[in-house]
Amino acid sequence: MKEKAVVIEAPGGPEQLKLVDLEVGAPGPDEIRIRHHACGLNYIDVYHRNGAYPLPLPARLGMEGAGVVEAVGEGVTHLRVGDRAAYASQPPGAYATARVMPAKCVLKLPEAIDFETGAAMMLKGLTVQYLLRRTLPQGGLQAGDFVLFHAAAGGVGLIACQWARALGLQLIGTAGSDEKCRLALENGAAHVINYRRDVDFAAKVREITGGRGVKVVYDSVGADTWEGSLNSLAPFGLLASFGGASGPVPPINIGTLSAKGSVYVTRPTLFSHIATREATQEMGDDLFSMVGSGKIRIRIDRRYPLADVAEAHRDLEARAITGSAVLLP
């Protein structure tokens, strides 16, 4: 059967995104076919489109979605035809009306969570799960500890603000406007820094923490915040660099880590953490519990028809989207 899907034939700007008809067949072993009700929009999709994270061409885009399972391949036991489901998964291909894909990272979606929320929360929510629950400094994190989280008003950031509040952490969020700072505070940040006004955000972090610094920095911005993130750490602190929205991090002089107080640096990815079905289920259950309890609410700022995917990418790159956004097939 023919379905609509977004592809690129060459890396470049949003104009490279084409909505085409593609054949979608039956799932093979350990695969499912899912019909999307909503597709998630994430900054990693921009990296795939512009070639920062190269894909074999022609390439399909999109890393998360939610919908209904239409067919199940041999060996799949945790899903059945008719199940409501959601996922964050490789390979890309979520920008589509339907697709065949590996089943291991697809989870049953609780009835209490609608499709748009499911599509908007999986990649971002699982990212926050592995950051706050698994990417930890020496001795872990306890209630009252300070953490610094960049881009706190984005889709990942707003989930992190709420999750940190639920854990009793004092999250210091950075954002690029007073409006975004207010949004981070409303969602659970203990302190906020407008880095366009307080250019030396590390000095502000030191002021907030009484001079000590934070136990961990979660940084998805990359080049623009790298030096300040290092300068925000307490001795033996951890810098988790999990994205590069402003460009790649410069080469590291390892001696800098000792000069900053024997600090640690890591570059984690979600897909290392969800490499097995068991790990994906465990992390997903934690996320579903937090959303189902109301401790985390997923803010969907914008909804775009799948045909308007280029406009969605322009807004994403312009940082015009707070919270999450979804594509609707």
Side-chain angles (χ1 to χ4, degrees):
M1 68 180 76
K2 293 279 190 179
E3 298 288 349
K4 296 290 186 182
V6 175
V7 302
I8 58 168
E9 296 179 346
E15 71 280 356
Q16 295 293 340
L17 298 162
K18 309 296 182 186
L19 187 63
V20 302
D21 291 322
L22 291 179
E23 192 72 30
V24 178
D30 300 320
E31 292 182 333
I32 65 156
R33 186 173 71 234
I34 185 169
R35 180 158 300 278
H36 291 130
H37 286 236
C39 316
L41 186 70
N42 296 282
Y43 213 90
I44 191 172
D45 306 341
V46 173
Y47 298 149
H48 285 151
R49 190 207 72 223
N50 66 21
Y53 294 174
L55 296 173
L57 298 169
R60 297 177 60 174
L61 298 187
M63 305 296 288
E64 68 178 343
V68 175
V69 177
E70 285 192 328
V72 174
E74 181 183 354
V76 177
T77 58
H78 69 291
L79 294 167
R80 296 181 179 180
V81 172
D83 279 348
R84 303 170 74 256
Y87 66 86
S89 178
Q90 293 178 325
Y95 290 4
T97 52
R99 70 181 294 199
V100 169
M101 63 179 296
K104 72 174 183 178
C105 291
V106 184
L107 302 179
K108 288 183 68 173
L109 185 65
E111 290 291 336
I113 301 175
D114 64 71
F115 288 119
E116 289 187 11
T117 300
M121 72 182 228
M122 293 300 291
L123 191 143
K124 302 171 191 68
L126 292 175
T127 294
V128 175
Q129 201 281 343
Y130 88 72
L131 289 173
L132 293 182
R133 305 288 271 176
R134 295 167 175 248
T135 310
L136 302 173
Q138 274 194 17
L141 289 171
Q142 287 79 42
D145 285 342
F146 286 98
V147 303
L148 176 63
F149 208 102
H150 290 298
V156 173
L158 291 182
I159 296 172
C161 288
Q162 296 173 78
W163 208 318
R165 176 173 57 188
L167 295 173
L169 302 174
Q170 297 195 66
L171 183 144
I172 304 169
T174 69
S177 70
D178 288 341
E179 180 185 3
K180 289 182 177 181
C181 285
R182 282 194 297 272
L183 187 59
L185 284 172
E186 290 168 3
N187 280 270
H191 305 271
V192 291
I193 300 170
N194 183 338
Y195 60 78
R196 297 195 188 280
R197 186 173 60 241
D198 294 308
V199 178
D200 186 1
F201 64 82
K204 194 71 175 177
V205 169
R206 295 284 173 183
E207 178 185 323
I208 292 168
T209 60
R212 180 163 178 79
V214 297
K215 292 184 74 172
V216 58
V217 177
Y218 297 111
D219 190 339
S220 63
V221 176
D224 289 354
T225 51
W226 176 254
E227 189 66 31
S229 291
L230 282 174
N231 291 337
S232 298
L233 288 171
F236 309 108
L238 171 67
L239 170 49
S241 175
F242 68 101
S246 67
V249 169
I252 303 168
N253 177 349
I254 199 166
T256 302
L257 305 183
S258 62
K260 300 294 183 184
S262 300
V263 299
Y264 296 77
V265 172
T266 184
R267 179 56 172 90
T269 69
L270 170 63
F271 299 104
S272 298
H273 286 274
I274 59 172
T276 67
R277 206 198 78 70
E278 292 76 16
T280 307
Q281 189 69 60
E282 180 182 342
M283 293 170 64
D285 288 345
D286 194 11
L287 174 61
F288 293 152
S289 174
M290 295 296 289
V291 174
S293 69
K295 293 178 181 177
I296 292 176
R297 296 186 178 183
I298 307 300
R299 174 187 168 122
I300 301 176
D301 188 54
R302 300 198 185 185
R303 296 164 174 84
Y304 303 85
L306 186 60
D308 292 345
V309 62
E311 178 188 352
H313 269 234
R314 291 187 190 98
D315 290 344
L316 189 62
E317 289 186 278
R319 301 187 184 185
I321 300 173
T322 52
S324 300
V326 293
L327 300 169
L328 302 178

PDB file of all heavy atoms in Angstrom, residues 4-33:
ATOM      1  N   LYS A   4       2.036   8.294   2.672  1.00  0.00           N
ATOM      2  CA  LYS A   4       2.779   9.544   2.589  1.00  0.00           C
ATOM      3  C   LYS A   4       3.949   9.511   3.574  1.00  0.00           C
ATOM      4  O   LYS A   4       3.802   9.079   4.718  1.00  0.00           O
ATOM      5  CB  LYS A   4       1.875  10.738   2.927  1.00  0.00           C
ATOM      6  CG  LYS A   4       0.727  10.963   1.949  1.00  0.00           C
ATOM      7  CD  LYS A   4       1.242  11.447   0.608  1.00  0.00           C
ATOM      8  CE  LYS A   4       0.086  11.812  -0.319  1.00  0.00           C
ATOM      9  NZ  LYS A   4       0.556  12.235  -1.658  1.00  0.00           N
ATOM     10  N   ALA A   5       5.107   9.986   3.109  1.00  0.00           N
ATOM     11  CA  ALA A   5       6.287  10.046   3.961  1.00  0.00           C
ATOM     12  C   ALA A   5       7.164  11.218   3.526  1.00  0.00           C
ATOM     13  O   ALA A   5       7.160  11.604   2.349  1.00  0.00           O
ATOM     14  CB  ALA A   5       7.083   8.748   3.891  1.00  0.00           C
ATOM     15  N   VAL A   6       7.906  11.776   4.485  1.00  0.00           N
ATOM     16  CA  VAL A   6       8.817  12.881   4.207  1.00  0.00           C
ATOM     17  C   VAL A   6      10.208  12.318   3.982  1.00  0.00           C
ATOM     18  O   VAL A   6      10.715  11.523   4.798  1.00  0.00           O
ATOM     19  CB  VAL A   6       8.827  13.892   5.367  1.00  0.00           C
ATOM     20  CG1 VAL A   6       9.877  14.975   5.135  1.00  0.00           C
ATOM     21  CG2 VAL A   6       7.448  14.516   5.537  1.00  0.00           C
ATOM     22  N   VAL A   7      10.844  12.739   2.879  1.00  0.00           N
ATOM     23  CA  VAL A   7      12.195  12.282   2.553  1.00  0.00           C
ATOM     24  C   VAL A   7      13.057  13.477   2.165  1.00  0.00           C
ATOM     25  O   VAL A   7      12.555  14.537   1.801  1.00  0.00           O
ATOM     26  CB  VAL A   7      12.195  11.247   1.410  1.00  0.00           C
ATOM     27  CG1 VAL A   7      11.333  10.038   1.755  1.00  0.00           C
ATOM     28  CG2 VAL A   7      11.726  11.876   0.108  1.00  0.00           C
ATOM     29  N   ILE A   8      14.375  13.265   2.259  1.00  0.00           N
ATOM     30  CA  ILE A   8      15.334  14.197   1.677  1.00  0.00           C
ATOM     31  C   ILE A   8      16.207  13.412   0.704  1.00  0.00           C
ATOM     32  O   ILE A   8      16.545  12.256   0.953  1.00  0.00           O
ATOM     33  CB  ILE A   8      16.209  14.901   2.733  1.00  0.00           C
ATOM     34  CG1 ILE A   8      16.997  13.882   3.580  1.00  0.00           C
ATOM     35  CG2 ILE A   8      15.363  15.795   3.633  1.00  0.00           C
ATOM     36  CD1 ILE A   8      18.082  14.512   4.441  1.00  0.00           C
ATOM     37  N   GLU A   9      16.563  14.037  -0.386  1.00  0.00           N
ATOM     38  CA  GLU A   9      17.448  13.419  -1.366  1.00  0.00           C
ATOM     39  C   GLU A   9      18.864  13.951  -1.258  1.00  0.00           C
ATOM     40  O   GLU A   9      19.795  13.373  -1.814  1.00  0.00           O
ATOM     41  CB  GLU A   9      16.898  13.634  -2.775  1.00  0.00           C
ATOM     42  CG  GLU A   9      15.550  12.944  -2.989  1.00  0.00           C
ATOM     43  CD  GLU A   9      14.985  13.172  -4.368  1.00  0.00           C
ATOM     44  OE1 GLU A   9      15.496  14.072  -5.077  1.00  0.00           O
ATOM     45  OE2 GLU A   9      14.033  12.455  -4.740  1.00  0.00           O
ATOM     46  N   ALA A  10      19.026  15.065  -0.538  1.00  0.00           N
ATOM     47  CA  ALA A  10      20.345  15.657  -0.293  1.00  0.00           C
ATOM     48  C   ALA A  10      20.253  16.470   0.990  1.00  0.00           C
ATOM     49  O   ALA A  10      19.184  16.978   1.329  1.00  0.00           O
ATOM     50  CB  ALA A  10      20.762  16.552  -1.461  1.00  0.00           C
ATOM     51  N   PRO A  11      21.354  16.597   1.732  1.00  0.00           N
ATOM     52  CA  PRO A  11      21.312  17.420   2.939  1.00  0.00           C
ATOM     53  C   PRO A  11      21.173  18.889   2.586  1.00  0.00           C
ATOM     54  O   PRO A  11      21.577  19.334   1.508  1.00  0.00           O
ATOM     55  CB  PRO A  11      22.661  17.124   3.614  1.00  0.00           C
ATOM     56  CG  PRO A  11      23.555  16.662   2.508  1.00  0.00           C
ATOM     57  CD  PRO A  11      22.673  15.968   1.512  1.00  0.00           C
ATOM     58  N   GLY A  12      20.579  19.662   3.497  1.00  0.00           N
ATOM     59  CA  GLY A  12      20.417  21.089   3.249  1.00  0.00           C
ATOM     60  C   GLY A  12      19.366  21.694   4.141  1.00  0.00           C
ATOM     61  O   GLY A  12      19.102  21.227   5.246  1.00  0.00           O
ATOM     62  N   GLY A  13      18.729  22.754   3.645  1.00  0.00           N
ATOM     63  CA  GLY A  13      17.743  23.492   4.406  1.00  0.00           C
ATOM     64  C   GLY A  13      16.376  22.847   4.365  1.00  0.00           C
ATOM     65  O   GLY A  13      16.186  21.773   3.775  1.00  0.00           O
ATOM     66  N   PRO A  14      15.392  23.492   4.971  1.00  0.00           N
ATOM     67  CA  PRO A  14      14.032  22.942   5.008  1.00  0.00           C
ATOM     68  C   PRO A  14      13.441  22.672   3.624  1.00  0.00           C
ATOM     69  O   PRO A  14      12.548  21.832   3.492  1.00  0.00           O
ATOM     70  CB  PRO A  14      13.242  24.023   5.743  1.00  0.00           C
ATOM     71  CG  PRO A  14      14.251  24.725   6.592  1.00  0.00           C
ATOM     72  CD  PRO A  14      15.510  24.730   5.784  1.00  0.00           C
ATOM     73  N   GLU A  15      13.948  23.372   2.610  1.00  0.00           N
ATOM     74  CA  GLU A  15      13.430  23.146   1.254  1.00  0.00           C
ATOM     75  C   GLU A  15      13.733  21.743   0.741  1.00  0.00           C
ATOM     76  O   GLU A  15      13.116  21.287  -0.238  1.00  0.00           O
ATOM     77  CB  GLU A  15      14.004  24.184   0.283  1.00  0.00           C
ATOM     78  CG  GLU A  15      15.475  24.023  -0.040  1.00  0.00           C
ATOM     79  CD  GLU A  15      16.415  24.575   1.030  1.00  0.00           C
ATOM     80  OE1 GLU A  15      15.911  25.165   2.009  1.00  0.00           O
ATOM     81  OE2 GLU A  15      17.645  24.419   0.873  1.00  0.00           O
ATOM     82  N   GLN A  16      14.636  21.033   1.396  1.00  0.00           N
ATOM     83  CA  GLN A  16      14.960  19.665   0.984  1.00  0.00           C
ATOM     84  C   GLN A  16      13.885  18.659   1.388  1.00  0.00           C
ATOM     85  O   GLN A  16      13.863  17.524   0.895  1.00  0.00           O
ATOM     86  CB  GLN A  16      16.301  19.223   1.589  1.00  0.00           C
ATOM     87  CG  GLN A  16      17.508  20.003   1.098  1.00  0.00           C
ATOM     88  CD  GLN A  16      17.804  19.749  -0.372  1.00  0.00           C
ATOM     89  OE1 GLN A  16      17.379  18.753  -0.931  1.00  0.00           O
ATOM     90  NE2 GLN A  16      18.508  20.685  -0.999  1.00  0.00           N
ATOM     91  N   LEU A  17      12.982  19.047   2.277  1.00  0.00           N
ATOM     92  CA  LEU A  17      11.959  18.131   2.789  1.00  0.00           C
ATOM     93  C   LEU A  17      10.848  17.941   1.757  1.00  0.00           C
ATOM     94  O   LEU A  17      10.184  18.912   1.377  1.00  0.00           O
ATOM     95  CB  LEU A  17      11.389  18.665   4.101  1.00  0.00           C
ATOM     96  CG  LEU A  17      12.398  18.806   5.248  1.00  0.00           C
ATOM     97  CD1 LEU A  17      11.858  19.734   6.331  1.00  0.00           C
ATOM     98  CD2 LEU A  17      12.754  17.458   5.831  1.00  0.00           C
ATOM     99  N   LYS A  18      10.648  16.728   1.309  1.00  0.00           N
ATOM    100  CA  LYS A  18       9.655  16.425   0.281  1.00  0.00           C
ATOM    101  C   LYS A  18       8.658  15.395   0.808  1.00  0.00           C
ATOM    102  O   LYS A  18       9.060  14.381   1.394  1.00  0.00           O
ATOM    103  CB  LYS A  18      10.327  15.859  -0.980  1.00  0.00           C
ATOM    104  CG  LYS A  18      11.493  16.692  -1.507  1.00  0.00           C
ATOM    105  CD  LYS A  18      11.059  18.076  -1.977  1.00  0.00           C
ATOM    106  CE  LYS A  18      12.257  18.848  -2.545  1.00  0.00           C
ATOM    107  NZ  LYS A  18      11.903  20.245  -2.884  1.00  0.00           N
ATOM    108  N   LEU A  19       7.378  15.653   0.584  1.00  0.00           N
ATOM    109  CA  LEU A  19       6.325  14.702   0.950  1.00  0.00           C
ATOM    110  C   LEU A  19       6.018  13.843  -0.278  1.00  0.00           C
ATOM    111  O   LEU A  19       5.591  14.365  -1.313  1.00  0.00           O
ATOM    112  CB  LEU A  19       5.079  15.444   1.416  1.00  0.00           C
ATOM    113  CG  LEU A  19       3.945  14.593   1.985  1.00  0.00           C
ATOM    114  CD1 LEU A  19       4.387  13.867   3.255  1.00  0.00           C
ATOM    115  CD2 LEU A  19       2.722  15.453   2.278  1.00  0.00           C
ATOM    116  N   VAL A  20       6.264  12.540  -0.171  1.00  0.00           N
ATOM    117  CA  VAL A  20       6.156  11.643  -1.326  1.00  0.00           C
ATOM    118  C   VAL A  20       5.304  10.430  -0.966  1.00  0.00           C
ATOM    119  O   VAL A  20       4.997  10.182   0.203  1.00  0.00           O
ATOM    120  CB  VAL A  20       7.552  11.185  -1.797  1.00  0.00           C
ATOM    121  CG1 VAL A  20       8.423  12.379  -2.168  1.00  0.00           C
ATOM    122  CG2 VAL A  20       8.246  10.342  -0.721  1.00  0.00           C
ATOM    123  N   ASP A  21       4.934   9.673  -1.993  1.00  0.00           N
ATOM    124  CA  ASP A  21       4.248   8.398  -1.801  1.00  0.00           C
ATOM    125  C   ASP A  21       5.269   7.274  -1.762  1.00  0.00           C
ATOM    126  O   ASP A  21       6.118   7.167  -2.657  1.00  0.00           O
ATOM    127  CB  ASP A  21       3.262   8.147  -2.946  1.00  0.00           C
ATOM    128  CG  ASP A  21       2.083   9.108  -2.915  1.00  0.00           C
ATOM    129  OD1 ASP A  21       1.612   9.420  -1.815  1.00  0.00           O
ATOM    130  OD2 ASP A  21       1.662   9.544  -4.000  1.00  0.00           O
ATOM    131  N   LEU A  22       5.211   6.441  -0.731  1.00  0.00           N
ATOM    132  CA  LEU A  22       6.111   5.304  -0.593  1.00  0.00           C
ATOM    133  C   LEU A  22       5.311   4.043  -0.301  1.00  0.00           C
ATOM    134  O   LEU A  22       4.280   4.086   0.371  1.00  0.00           O
ATOM    135  CB  LEU A  22       7.119   5.530   0.542  1.00  0.00           C
ATOM    136  CG  LEU A  22       8.194   6.598   0.336  1.00  0.00           C
ATOM    137  CD1 LEU A  22       9.079   6.681   1.572  1.00  0.00           C
ATOM    138  CD2 LEU A  22       9.046   6.300  -0.897  1.00  0.00           C
ATOM    139  N   GLU A  23       5.816   2.936  -0.788  1.00  0.00           N
ATOM    140  CA  GLU A  23       5.188   1.649  -0.524  1.00  0.00           C
ATOM    141  C   GLU A  23       5.506   1.199   0.899  1.00  0.00           C
ATOM    142  O   GLU A  23       6.658   1.249   1.340  1.00  0.00           O
ATOM    143  CB  GLU A  23       5.699   0.605  -1.520  1.00  0.00           C
ATOM    144  CG  GLU A  23       4.930  -0.684  -1.526  1.00  0.00           C
ATOM    145  CD  GLU A  23       3.548  -0.547  -2.156  1.00  0.00           C
ATOM    146  OE1 GLU A  23       3.376   0.300  -3.051  1.00  0.00           O
ATOM    147  OE2 GLU A  23       2.639  -1.299  -1.735  1.00  0.00           O
ATOM    148  N   VAL A  24       4.480   0.792   1.640  1.00  0.00           N
ATOM    149  CA  VAL A  24       4.652   0.249   2.988  1.00  0.00           C
ATOM    150  C   VAL A  24       4.090  -1.165   2.995  1.00  0.00           C
ATOM    151  O   VAL A  24       2.884  -1.360   2.812  1.00  0.00           O
ATOM    152  CB  VAL A  24       3.948   1.110   4.052  1.00  0.00           C
ATOM    153  CG1 VAL A  24       4.103   0.481   5.437  1.00  0.00           C
ATOM    154  CG2 VAL A  24       4.522   2.524   4.053  1.00  0.00           C
ATOM    155  N   GLY A  25       4.958  -2.133   3.204  1.00  0.00           N
ATOM    156  CA  GLY A  25       4.540  -3.526   3.134  1.00  0.00           C
ATOM    157  C   GLY A  25       4.234  -4.123   4.495  1.00  0.00           C
ATOM    158  O   GLY A  25       3.912  -3.420   5.459  1.00  0.00           O
ATOM    159  N   ALA A  26       4.367  -5.428   4.570  1.00  0.00           N
ATOM    160  CA  ALA A  26       4.121  -6.159   5.814  1.00  0.00           C
ATOM    161  C   ALA A  26       5.386  -6.161   6.671  1.00  0.00           C
ATOM    162  O   ALA A  26       6.511  -6.131   6.147  1.00  0.00           O
ATOM    163  CB  ALA A  26       3.693  -7.591   5.508  1.00  0.00           C
ATOM    164  N   PRO A  27       5.228  -6.198   7.985  1.00  0.00           N
ATOM    165  CA  PRO A  27       6.404  -6.244   8.850  1.00  0.00           C
ATOM    166  C   PRO A  27       7.101  -7.595   8.779  1.00  0.00           C
ATOM    167  O   PRO A  27       6.461  -8.639   8.636  1.00  0.00           O
ATOM    168  CB  PRO A  27       5.828  -6.002  10.251  1.00  0.00           C
ATOM    169  CG  PRO A  27       4.403  -6.442  10.155  1.00  0.00           C
ATOM    170  CD  PRO A  27       3.975  -6.149   8.754  1.00  0.00           C
ATOM    171  N   GLY A  28       8.435  -7.569   8.882  1.00  0.00           N
ATOM    172  CA  GLY A  28       9.216  -8.785   8.952  1.00  0.00           C
ATOM    173  C   GLY A  28       9.390  -9.240  10.393  1.00  0.00           C
ATOM    174  O   GLY A  28       8.750  -8.698  11.312  1.00  0.00           O
ATOM    175  N   PRO A  29      10.248 -10.203  10.625  1.00  0.00           N
ATOM    176  CA  PRO A  29      10.501 -10.666  11.994  1.00  0.00           C
ATOM    177  C   PRO A  29      10.943  -9.515  12.891  1.00  0.00           C
ATOM    178  O   PRO A  29      11.759  -8.677  12.489  1.00  0.00           O
ATOM    179  CB  PRO A  29      11.614 -11.702  11.815  1.00  0.00           C
ATOM    180  CG  PRO A  29      11.460 -12.175  10.405  1.00  0.00           C
ATOM    181  CD  PRO A  29      11.001 -10.984   9.628  1.00  0.00           C
ATOM    182  N   ASP A  30      10.395  -9.462  14.092  1.00  0.00           N
ATOM    183  CA  ASP A  30      10.727  -8.457  15.104  1.00  0.00           C
ATOM    184  C   ASP A  30      10.365  -7.042  14.672  1.00  0.00           C
ATOM    185  O   ASP A  30      10.925  -6.068  15.185  1.00  0.00           O
ATOM    186  CB  ASP A  30      12.218  -8.524  15.471  1.00  0.00           C
ATOM    187  CG  ASP A  30      12.622  -9.867  16.028  1.00  0.00           C
ATOM    188  OD1 ASP A  30      11.842 -10.445  16.810  1.00  0.00           O
ATOM    189  OD2 ASP A  30      13.699 -10.375  15.662  1.00  0.00           O
ATOM    190  N   GLU A  31       9.425  -6.910  13.736  1.00  0.00           N
ATOM    191  CA  GLU A  31       8.971  -5.604  13.277  1.00  0.00           C
ATOM    192  C   GLU A  31       7.458  -5.465  13.479  1.00  0.00           C
ATOM    193  O   GLU A  31       6.746  -6.454  13.672  1.00  0.00           O
ATOM    194  CB  GLU A  31       9.280  -5.405  11.789  1.00  0.00           C
ATOM    195  CG  GLU A  31      10.753  -5.290  11.470  1.00  0.00           C
ATOM    196  CD  GLU A  31      10.988  -5.052   9.983  1.00  0.00           C
ATOM    197  OE1 GLU A  31      10.143  -5.472   9.148  1.00  0.00           O
ATOM    198  OE2 GLU A  31      12.032  -4.457   9.649  1.00  0.00           O
ATOM    199  N   ILE A  32       6.989  -4.222  13.419  1.00  0.00           N
ATOM    200  CA  ILE A  32       5.558  -3.933  13.398  1.00  0.00           C
ATOM    201  C   ILE A  32       5.278  -2.924  12.293  1.00  0.00           C
ATOM    202  O   ILE A  32       6.188  -2.240  11.805  1.00  0.00           O
ATOM    203  CB  ILE A  32       5.043  -3.353  14.735  1.00  0.00           C
ATOM    204  CG1 ILE A  32       5.692  -1.980  14.999  1.00  0.00           C
ATOM    205  CG2 ILE A  32       5.266  -4.301  15.885  1.00  0.00           C
ATOM    206  CD1 ILE A  32       4.895  -1.081  15.905  1.00  0.00           C
ATOM    207  N   ARG A  33       4.009  -2.820  11.902  1.00  0.00           N
ATOM    208  CA  ARG A  33       3.555  -1.689  11.096  1.00  0.00           C
ATOM    209  C   ARG A  33       2.635  -0.856  11.976  1.00  0.00           C
ATOM    210  O   ARG A  33       1.720  -1.388  12.616  1.00  0.00           O
ATOM    211  CB  ARG A  33       2.812  -2.150   9.842  1.00  0.00           C
ATOM    212  CG  ARG A  33       2.459  -0.968   8.909  1.00  0.00           C
ATOM    213  CD  ARG A  33       1.864  -1.418   7.586  1.00  0.00           C
ATOM    214  NE  ARG A  33       0.527  -1.956   7.745  1.00  0.00           N
ATOM    215  CZ  ARG A  33       0.149  -3.159   7.307  1.00  0.00           C
ATOM    216  NH1 ARG A  33       1.012  -3.957   6.695  1.00  0.00           N
ATOM    217  NH2 ARG A  33      -1.096  -3.575   7.505  1.00  0.00           N
TER     218      ARG A  33
END
